[in-house]
Amino acid sequence: MIVRWETNHDYVLVHIHQDMFGDWIFSRAWGQIGTQFGGLKHQLADTLDQAHMWLEDETTIQSSRGFRKVLEVADHTPEGQEAMRQLSLLDVM
C-alpha cells in the first residue's frame, strides 16, 4: 500500500510492504515538492496491524498539518509503481 499527502510545497509518502523475509516494513518519505530536500525512514513493524496503526496515526498527523491525501494505491498498480520509482530515487541520495 502506498499513500501520499501534499500541501502546495511539501509531500509525505508512506509505503507499507513485506520484505523478502516476510517482515512488514513501514517506509516514510518526506520533502519539498520539486526539490531534493527531504528524508526517508524505514521502520520494522511487528505485524501488519501495527503498520496500519502507524498509517492511521500518520493520516491524523498530516491532516492536522493541512496536508491532503492525493494518492492511495496498491503497489502493483501503475500509479503505485510510479510512486515506488520516486521513493527508490530518494533511497540512493
Side-chain angles (χ1 to χ4, degrees), residues 14-57:
V14 167
H15 180 217
I16 297 173
H17 60 283
Q18 268 188 307
D19 66 9
M20 64 186 213
F21 302 108
D23 294 323
W24 288 101
I25 308 298
F26 183 91
S27 300
R28 181 179 179 274
W30 64 91
Q32 294 177 344
I33 295 171
T35 72
Q36 294 188 11
F37 295 111
L40 177 63
K41 181 179 180 182
H42 303 286
Q43 292 176 266
L44 179 63
D46 293 330
T47 64
L48 178 57
D49 287 339
Q50 182 181 38
H52 281 139
M53 182 183 67
W54 291 344
L55 178 60
E56 289 175 19
D57 293 346

Side-chain angles (χ1 to χ4, degrees), residues 36-81:
Q36 294 188 11
F37 295 111
L40 177 63
K41 181 179 180 182
H42 303 286
Q43 292 176 266
L44 179 63
D46 293 330
T47 64
L48 178 57
D49 287 339
Q50 182 181 38
H52 281 139
M53 182 183 67
W54 291 344
L55 178 60
E56 289 175 19
D57 293 346
E58 193 69 37
T59 299
T60 301
I61 291 166
Q62 298 314 322
S63 177
S64 72
R65 292 179 177 170
F67 282 72
R68 64 192 179 284
K69 187 186 295 186
V70 297
L71 179 69
E72 184 169 353
V73 296
D75 301 19
H76 62 277
T77 63
E79 297 87 0
Q81 292 296 315

